Structure formats: structure tokens, C-alpha cells
Amino acid sequence: MHKTPVSKRIFDLLISVLLLILLSPLMLGLALLVWGKLGRPVIFTQERPGKDGKIFKLFKFRTMRETFDASGSPLPDAERLTALGKFLRSTSLDELPEMVNVIKGEMSLVGPRPLLIAYLERYSPEQARRHNVLPGITGWAQVNGRNAISWEDKFKFDVWYVDNWSFLLDIKILFMTIGKVFKREAINAPGSVSSPEFMGTKQE
């Protein structure tokens, strides 16, 4: 079990609290916009596995309509994602509420992205090491391809981060993230509005 470095935790708290204060007018405006365009709830919440697989509730701005087919199943993401939702995702503004998760100690500013609970049993032992650290709002995989690379490559970047963490690396990733957001690079997987489901890595 890895222990989160004190310097990382202090940095996360200081930056997250500062950003929440500075960005609160923007977040309020986005909340009102989402409410007006998509209705309630404004915040999308979903249980995700964090450090050591501990489950927590992730917060994001909602980006999809709640629309269903005749059988009651949700329509495909491409049909539920709105123009506003595409904008929020492409600018990563939908991620801003996750700073609350950082303040609560459930996430870090930088770390492997928190994925679905169903993936826990699909990881190889090596891939599962991504849960040795707190998940992050951004991470090494996000600045090295984000959704445009394969799951296997994402997990290799995640595990590399676990093994090579440093305070300077976190600073580097944060600055690289700012550049990626402004360029809106690798937002979606090719031919999709979101990442395909990870079904596990085939063992040779």
C-alpha cells in the first residue's frame, strides 16, 4: 500500500481551494447553463474506484440528456451528448467539480483517471497497480494521448507514473494539461464521442 506524500496532499489542497474560490463565478454560470439546457441534476455523480480500489462518488458537470429507447435503455452516448456537453468535455470544464473530490482526499490533481468499478476485475496484475496512488483530474496518460490511444497504452502510462512520481513531474503534467486543453487535442477515441468500454487485455 502506497502512502500519499505529504507534499502532494498539501499542494492538492492549496491549489484546489484556491481554484474553487477563483473559479466559483464560472462554475455557478456553468451550473445555471446546464440547468437551463439539460435540467436537473446539474452534477453527474458516479461511484468510481480510487486508491487501493476504495469506492468514492465522483462529481462532474452533467453533459448528456436522460433519453431512453422504447425498452427503457439509455440511448447511445452519441445521441445523448448535447452541443453544450461537447463543449464542456472539449474544454474539460465538466471536470471542475472534481476539485471537491480532491479537497475530500478522494482524488489528486494528478494521477491515473478514476475509471469504472467494473474494470477492477478486468485489469491484469500489472495494470491494477494504477490504483496504488490516488486517481487524478489529469494524468500522464491524459497528456500522452488521452482518449486517442489504446487502453493498454493508457495503463502503461498510468503504471509508469506510479513508479516515477515526483513533485516536479506533477507540475510538468499540469502545465502540459493546460496546453492540451487549449488545443483541445485527443478529446475522443477515433470515431466515438467517448472511450470504448475496456473489456480486459488478452493474455498471450
Side-chain angles (χ1 to χ4, degrees):
M1 182 180 295
H2 286 56
K3 187 175 181 179
T4 303
V6 174
S7 60
K8 183 176 177 72
R9 179 61 183 147
I10 292 174
F11 180 75
D12 283 343
L13 274 174
L14 289 176
I15 297 300
S16 296
V17 170
L18 178 62
L19 286 176
L20 271 181
I21 293 172
L22 293 176
L23 297 177
S24 56
L26 172 62
M27 294 179 68
L28 176 59
L30 290 174
L32 292 173
L33 191 58
V34 172
W35 185 26
K37 294 289 186 179
L38 299 175
R40 299 172 60 187
V42 169
I43 300 297
F44 169 79
T45 62
Q46 188 176 58
E47 290 190 332
R48 299 284 179 93
K51 185 176 183 295
D52 302 319
K54 183 179 179 180
I55 306 302
F56 71 99
K57 188 170 290 186
L58 177 79
F59 304 116
K60 298 177 71 170
F61 279 121
R62 180 180 168 195
T63 59
M64 293 187 180
R65 296 188 185 94
E66 291 185 352
T67 50
F68 306 87
D69 60 22
S71 65
S73 299
L75 292 174
D77 288 356
E79 296 182 39
R80 295 191 295 130
L81 185 63
T82 63
L84 173 61
K86 290 178 182 178
F87 171 75
L88 292 177
R89 289 189 179 192
S90 67
T91 55
S92 295
L93 291 172
D94 63 321
E95 310 279 0
L96 290 179
E98 290 173 30
M99 286 187 290
V100 174
N101 293 119
V102 176
I103 292 172
K104 292 175 66 178
E106 299 162 335
M107 292 180 65
S108 174
L109 291 172
V110 180
R113 284 294 298 164
L115 302 175
L116 300 179
I117 294 175
Y119 293 178
L120 287 173
E121 60 184 21
R122 302 175 189 174
Y123 295 131
S124 68
E126 177 69 5
Q127 292 168 344
R129 293 205 297 120
R130 68 191 305 278
H131 287 286
N132 287 350
V133 298
L134 284 171
I137 294 178
T138 186
W140 191 232
Q142 279 59 54
V143 298
N144 281 284
R146 198 173 176 180
N147 290 328
I149 58 177
S150 68
W151 281 115
E152 286 72 19
D153 286 339
K154 287 181 188 179
F155 298 149
K156 286 178 182 178
F157 283 124
D158 288 342
V159 173
W160 184 91
Y161 174 82
V162 171
D163 292 337
N164 294 275
W165 176 85
S166 70
F167 186 72
L168 289 178
L169 177 60
D170 275 5
I171 299 297
K172 176 181 178 179
I173 292 172
L174 287 172
F175 276 105
M176 289 178 69
T177 298
I178 294 172
K180 294 286 185 181
V181 168
F182 277 107
K183 293 178 182 178
R184 302 192 190 184
E185 293 179 343
I187 304 300
N188 301 317
S192 175
V193 298
S194 58
S195 294
E197 184 177 357
F198 173 63
M199 301 306 297
T201 301
K202 292 182 179 180
Q203 302 297 318
E204 299 294 336

